[in-house]
Amino acid sequence: MKSILSLFCFLFTILGFSQDSTSTYKKRVLETPEVDFLISYYSQDGNNAAVTGGIGTEELTDFTPTIVVAIPLNDDDVLTIDAGVSAYTSASSSNVDPFDGPGDPDPFVASSGASGSDLWFNVSANYSHSSDDRNNLWSGKVAFANEYDYTSIGFGGSYTRLFNEKNTEVSINANVYLDTWNIIYPMELRPIELSGLEPLSSKSRNSYSVGFGFSQILSKQLQGSLSLDLVQQDGLLSTPFQRIYFSDQPDFFVGNNFQIADDIERLPDSRFKTAIGGRLHYYANEFMVIRTYYRYYFDDWGINSHTASIEVPVKLGDKFTVYPSYRYYNQTASDYFFANNEALSTDEFYTSDYDLSEFSANQYGFGITYTDIFTKFNLWKLGLKSIDLKYNYYKRDSGLKFSLISGGFKFILN
């Protein structure tokens, strides 16, 4: 009896140890640290600069290097650090003070003053935690950004739930951004109080957003998703150095036909945005996927817009994938948009920013991805995982056009 009891205790101990070992073993969310080096070059041109009241050059170039580091803290938790710098030169921004360079000011060319270039810096940290069964994911983030005329602090979080054997996914996210402006008026209106115009009363802009997502695997080849995003903004929603010219006021010019502003852009101190979107991904075969997207947007400033896009990744062997893409966009004009010299001095709100005008746009893209399956190439202790290169060309029917070249290099820490 004593021997049987001892054997039972031994078997119970072994069984308990085995069950504990089985229950604690799980695949890590992220096996090793990953490092992404991202870089982009953006160049645009147009003739509807808001800084000069809806006319004049919109030339701008932007160079943005970014590094993203994802660090597994344990089996379930990942910390991601994202830091980037944007160095830009802007012909339209240089005309905030068109008198700070040599020669006569001209709205159709850039001023040579210091206001035509600047640096934007951003850093964010995201912490995510997955449950043991990988059906629940929580995340939280904080962010900071700074530029010459504003500072932004942001924070947020999200929750994702998978069920139905991971065929169904629901998610919710919320974010808050608290921005503070360094108010800069057009040079000829400084100080604005002496010009007889009403100064802006707020230096802050607060944005609150919440998003909902639903994704469903519909078949072996088809996956669909729906999204709803709501955004509330309060505070200074206009850009202080963007000029306005009234049709019922006399025009005054200096230099080479540079028109003195009648006022600055003025917009409501509240805006509510709604976006409803849907995606369908169709896996045609092991070499090709068709990704489609549609979004309808509206806000209480009178803008309604439609976005439709398609991307078709095609695998060329084990290592290369190409993905041509196309995106169409159109929108109605804001209730407060006026072209140059069309606003009235009796209007309460007005802007000549063509981003708030009625327009349609087409964007064409082509990308290529190289995947090093076994990370054979090594740089110091980093093994190359993938390289991604993409080119986009965009054109509005209002004349604005841009080119964007971007690249990404993903490494894993060996």
Side-chain angles (χ1 to χ4, degrees):
M1 181 70 179
K2 200 171 184 180
S3 299
I4 294 175
L5 183 60
S6 299
L7 179 61
F8 175 79
C9 291
F10 175 75
L11 292 174
F12 180 81
T13 302
I14 293 297
L15 180 60
F17 178 79
S18 300
Q19 289 176 335
D20 182 68
S21 299
T22 302
S23 63
T24 57
Y25 175 77
K26 55 191 172 187
K27 182 177 176 63
R28 293 169 67 91
V29 175
L30 184 65
E31 293 293 337
T32 58
E34 294 184 349
V35 181
D36 285 275
F37 296 100
L38 310 174
I39 193 169
S40 68
Y41 177 77
Y42 173 92
S43 176
Q44 77 169 38
D45 194 9
N47 295 299
N48 298 115
V51 173
T52 43
I55 59 173
T57 178
E58 293 180 272
E59 288 184 20
L60 181 147
T61 61
D62 181 87
F63 176 70
T64 307
T66 303
I67 183 171
V68 181
V69 181
I71 306 168
L73 303 178
N74 50 49
D75 289 350
D76 305 320
D77 303 319
V78 176
L79 175 65
T80 303
I81 307 294
D82 184 329
V85 176
S86 174
Y88 70 85
T89 60
S90 171
S92 60
S93 293
S94 71
N95 279 319
V96 172
D97 182 3
F99 311 100
D100 61 354
D104 292 332
D106 188 335
F108 295 98
V109 298
S111 163
S112 58
S115 58
S117 61
D118 194 48
L119 286 175
W120 171 86
F121 170 76
N122 173 75
V123 62
S124 65
N126 182 86
Y127 170 80
S128 63
H129 171 77
S130 295
S131 61
D132 290 339
D133 59 8
R134 303 296 184 248
N135 285 330
N136 297 275
L137 174 65
W138 298 265
S139 71
K141 73 173 184 179
V142 293
F144 174 81
N146 181 257
E147 196 176 356
Y148 79 100
D149 63 341
Y150 92 102
T151 300
S152 176
I153 299 174
F155 52 91
S158 66
Y159 171 68
T160 301
R161 168 67 176 170
L162 288 83
F163 53 95
N164 188 24
E165 296 183 346
K166 294 184 171 36
N167 289 317
T168 306
E169 176 183 309
V170 294
S171 63
I172 182 173
N173 67 80
N175 295 282
V176 175
Y177 289 95
L178 308 176
D179 302 342
T180 302
W181 285 83
N182 176 21
I183 295 181
I184 300 174
Y185 296 109
M187 174 54 70
E188 68 269 29
L189 298 181
R190 304 175 194 171
I192 195 168
E193 295 89 344
L194 298 182
S195 67
L197 302 177
E198 180 185 353
L200 296 171
S201 59
S202 174
K203 294 184 178 181
S204 65
R205 171 189 296 174
N206 300 331
S207 301
Y208 313 93
S209 66
V210 60
F212 305 91
F214 172 79
S215 177
Q216 176 67 48
I217 296 177
L218 302 172
S219 70
K220 291 182 178 181
Q221 294 178 286
L222 189 64
Q223 180 183 13
S225 65
L226 297 172
S227 63
L228 171 65
D229 293 287
L230 307 172
V231 179
Q232 174 67 47
Q233 291 183 297
D234 298 301
L236 179 57
L237 304 185
S238 62
T239 303
F241 52 73
Q242 296 187 165
R243 294 173 173 86
I244 288 294
Y245 302 110
F246 296 133
S247 61
D248 58 347
Q249 297 286 341
D251 298 335
F252 296 97
F253 297 87
V254 296
N256 188 14
N257 296 320
F258 193 93
Q259 187 176 357
I260 299 299
D262 292 323
D263 199 359
I264 59 174
E265 175 184 82
R266 298 187 186 274
L267 292 168
D269 59 6
S270 177
R271 187 181 188 183
F272 187 75
K273 308 177 182 180
T274 303
I276 304 169
R279 297 181 184 272
L280 276 178
H281 292 179
Y282 178 72
Y283 298 84
N285 51 51
E286 59 180 318
F287 301 106
M288 185 172 69
V289 179
I290 301 173
R291 299 172 178 168
T292 62
Y293 173 71
Y294 171 78
R295 187 191 72 168
Y296 174 65
Y297 165 93
F298 61 94
D299 61 30
D300 56 4
W301 285 10
I303 293 180
N304 293 265
S305 73
H306 301 271
T307 305
S309 68
I310 182 169
E311 182 180 78
V312 185
V314 179
K315 290 188 66 176
L316 305 178
D318 294 332
K319 295 185 176 182
F320 289 94
T321 301
V322 297
Y323 48 101
S325 63
Y326 170 74
R327 176 181 179 270
Y328 174 77
Y329 177 85
N330 72 22
Q331 73 172 38
T332 60
S334 166
D335 297 336
Y336 316 117
F337 174 79
F338 298 91
N340 182 263
N341 261 350
E342 288 189 358
L344 297 174
S345 58
T346 53
D347 292 324
E348 183 179 8
F349 302 113
Y350 28 76
T351 177
S352 292
D353 186 343
Y354 271 71
D355 287 344
L356 299 178
S357 71
E358 179 181 2
F359 68 87
S360 298
N362 295 279
Q363 180 173 315
Y364 308 90
F366 183 82
I368 183 168
T369 298
Y370 168 79
T371 303
D372 191 344
I373 301 174
F374 301 105
T375 60
K376 293 180 180 179
F377 177 81
N378 287 270
L379 181 64
W380 188 54
K381 294 184 178 180
L382 299 175
L384 179 65
K385 188 174 181 179
S386 65
I387 300 175
D388 189 74
L389 300 173
K390 190 168 187 179
Y391 173 77
N392 282 291
Y393 176 76
Y394 170 98
K395 187 173 183 179
R396 290 183 187 175
D397 56 8
S398 62
L400 178 71
K401 56 186 177 182
F402 74 70
S403 293
L404 174 64
I405 302 172
S406 58
F409 302 82
K410 182 184 287 292
F411 293 88
I412 61 172
L413 186 63
N414 292 324

